[in-house]
Amino acid sequence: MFRYIVRRLLQMILTFFGATFVVFALMFANQDDPIQALAGEKPVSASLRAALTERYHLDEGFLSQYWYYMSNLLTGDLGVTLTGRDISALLAEAWPRTLQLSLMAIVLAAVLAVTAGVWSAIRRGGALDNGILAFTLLLLAMPIVVLAPVAQLVFGMELGWFPATASREISFYTLMLPAIVLATTVVATQLRVTRTSVVENLRADYVRTARAKGLTPRRVTWVHVLRNSLIPVITLIGVDLGTLMSGALVTEEVFNIPGVGFNLARGIRNEDGPLVVGFVSILVIVFLVVNLIVDLLYAALDPRIRYE
Amino acid sequence: MTDIQASMDVLPGLDPRAPLLQINDLHVEFRTRDGVAKAVNGASFRLSPGETLAILGESGCGKSVTAQAIMGILESPPGHITRGEVRYRGVDLLKLPEHERRKVRANKIAMIFQDALSALNPVYTVGFQLAELFRAHRGMSRADAKNRAIGLLDQVRIPAARARINDYPHQFSGGMRQRVMIAMALALDPEVLIADEPTTALDVTVQAQIMSLLAELQRQRNMGLILITHDMGVVADVADRISVMYAGRVIEEAPVYDIYARPAHPYTRALLESIPRLDLKGHQLTAIRGLPPVLTDIPSGCAFNPRCRYAKDPCLQDPPPPAYAIAPHRTARCHFFREVLGE
Amino acid sequence: MSDPNLIAMAEAPAGSGRPRSLAGDAWHDLRRNKIFWASSVLVLVVLLMALAPSLFTSADPAACALSNKHKGPAGGALFGYDFQGCDVFARTVHGTRNSIEVGFLSTLLAGVIGLCFGLAAGYYGGAVDAVLSRGIDIVLGIPFLLGAVVFSGRLSAGEGDDGVTAVTLTLGLLAWTSAARVMRSSVVSAKSQDYVAAARMLGAGPLRLMFRHILPNSIAPFIVVLTLMLGANIAAEATLSYLGVGLKGEAISWGVQIADAQGQARVAAGPLVWPSVFLAATVLAFIMLGDAVRDAFDPKLR
Ligand SMILES: Nc1ncnc2c1ncn2[C@@H]1O[C@H](COP(=O)(O)OP(=O)(O)O)[C@@H](O)[C@H]1O
Ligand code: SF4
Ligand SMILES: [Mg+2]
């Protein structure tokens, strides 16, 4: 276990610097005028130019630029937007909403994917299984840019089941529809992986043993098979977080939820380079940390790795 | 004795004087995309307390499927029991509703599998998998169940049982894992133990240890033991009686001594001739010519006829040879058993 | 036993018939798979629409008249008009080309990168594999669309650029990792097969080994991944365009249409719904095609 953790940590540190470096390089390197790039197509005043140069140390060598960028990032100093607002403060205000939204989506997706995936696997080949598979196919085919506006139109406006936007009060209720929309971006893959994994595990020898022990089918499935089947599903969570982040970008924009994605989408539209760089860098860090946690969780679920 | 135990004793029709286990005319088929594979075609045998019955036959002849049908753990679909009886103390288990049947498993009839590594759940400790039996069937508390589990590991002579209870299956050696399987099967004091090739996956020295452990535990508990194997060498020392299976039928059944001395079926005879014997060193081994039948297309008449050197016209005609009683406690399904016996 | 038919039957192995190759088996399965045919037809229609939009509509997607704003379906305009008075059907049909072009080219780029990375990592193993695999990890460390949002903006040439090149490059440069992983693992398993060892002993060089012996047997899962990726990249293009960092200017795109129509969806649903339907149907077609092909090559998952 210890060696596994150390190895994963080392790999993650490498990935961390690699990924942030790539983001950084694409932001600042290879640009004729990085300052103009940060400001988009707007004219840049001399004072803004000076401020940006100082902020990103653009008058120094490339590696030291990266060094300053990283140390600022890791100390939580994200600088100010082009309109002069403190980016860290923006982020601090925005993240609880995004966290609530994504937690709702994750729980919703996981519960649905696991129950439906197991059912589907148990009754594989049956009508329920085929129905569920067709439904996942439909979900997979609906990019979030289709689903979010159409769901808002149908369930928010026409049918009026849910509030169409959530801008004023963020609550469980106003976040419900956006959370469902966000959940659909990951639920189909999770469900399919769960199903495949359960189907494979149902054929395993240890299932026969469990049945020979006189255990109820329910216990065989939900205790013996599920624990084994969840191992590949857990590894998906890492990838899914990336999908959820991009999903939140669109979902929050569509439903007017002033969270991280909403601010980032605004930043993109207004071509506010510092905001985009800051937010994306933080999200990349969150993504990497969660992936490390997932790896450890993976080891916790599979003793064969733990005792490697 | 808990409620579950009590309700066990009122299994409808349970008769303590009836034979411990009696299999009558069992038929199992697998309905697959490639056709219907008739894996078991009328297997019959009986088992008494304290007795060891060896079921012998080439790989694929339906031994494991028979065992799974007795346990009620056939994968279905594709597996279907189309005919027959599995009587435990007079109760036909095949007619019991599933929730009654479940109480028979592990409590009355338990099973050990060939490959303990894959037969144990890789993600739970052996302690959990043992204690689970006491918790599910006896409603014991966690602590009690754990103590019982430790006791069981002691009984199968796993050193430092108290510490090893928290280990996972992959942390045990092959022999130790098979001991865990045995402990698991014996947990609820079953009256019948089915061991499906318990030593096939093990080294020769470990094989002997496991076999003697099994024999010892069986004696202590006066259990009926069904020992499934494809290796004639393994059974000679431990079995009381042998049932030889071919293409899903028991083609010969006899006390172990008689079979070795005077086989009555050409297939048994061929099997015997194919084991290497120390006293015949240097002699050519005779492998059985031909291949076992394809189960989707079993030859009519005697299934062994394409490979049989005694085969004559009647062997090709349906119905297949009946179980001729050739001596007390001996049957053979061969029209020409006299010739084979050399009478 | 004198009946020759009986003898022939007895001699035929179980499940008789000439033994087929894996690809032959797969094709045999595919030919009878309705989903495969349905998705293939859909893909062909979409391709035709991309190549020759004028076969489907004679209207000019850029000829808009504000007087037509939000008008319902009329005449040639099957889906009505959007908020600028443009023919929604014509725009949707003409939007196909950009989506397909970006999808195909970015997938091609990702495929080439993935192929090189995967082949090299799988074939050489050891240090090469370690370095390349860390490279894959690094790219995977950047969430796909977030990375795309940043890069797409950076890569576009500014004023007047329609963004097609930038989006294609962005998606290609970020999406290749899955292709590389699949290629790597199938090369690793192909490499250990006997026939490869045999070819090596007969003196086949690394390039010949790779392209004559390993690649043909590793290509199936790779193609499946690319087919699925095509759908994903088309969806990603729409998302980027929706966010304003994808296609822009004069370029017509389903994502742009959805973004434009969303604000007015209450007033006129058509301009929002129709590009959505086309987008979803296209993505669906590629996913189903990929699924069908995968199932054909990997029957045990059915
Ligand atoms: N799950 C299954 N699906 C289809 N056929 C099976 C299955 N299990 C067993 N069989 C068939 O039953 C035959 C007998 O198998 P088995 O009882 O395991 O043989 P053995 O005597 O070696 O234990 C096999 O040859 C196989 O064709
Ligand atoms: S019945 Fe005929 S074919 Fe069958 S074993 Fe006896 S002699 Fe051989
Ligand atoms: Mg067997």
Side-chain angles (χ1 to χ4, degrees), chain B residues 242-275:
Chain B
I242 295 188
S243 288
V244 182
M245 279 185 79
Y246 187 80
R249 284 192 195 98
V250 175
I251 49 96
E252 176 164 12
E253 183 170 13
V256 69
Y257 175 78
D258 295 346
I259 277 224
Y260 278 85
R262 285 174 75 211
H265 194 285
Y267 177 63
T268 316
R269 192 175 175 139
L271 275 182
L272 279 171
E273 283 165 1
S274 71
I275 13 173

Side-chain angles (χ1 to χ4, degrees), chain B residues 64 114 196-197:
Chain B
S64 300
Q114 172 176 338
D196 188 356
E197 315 230 10

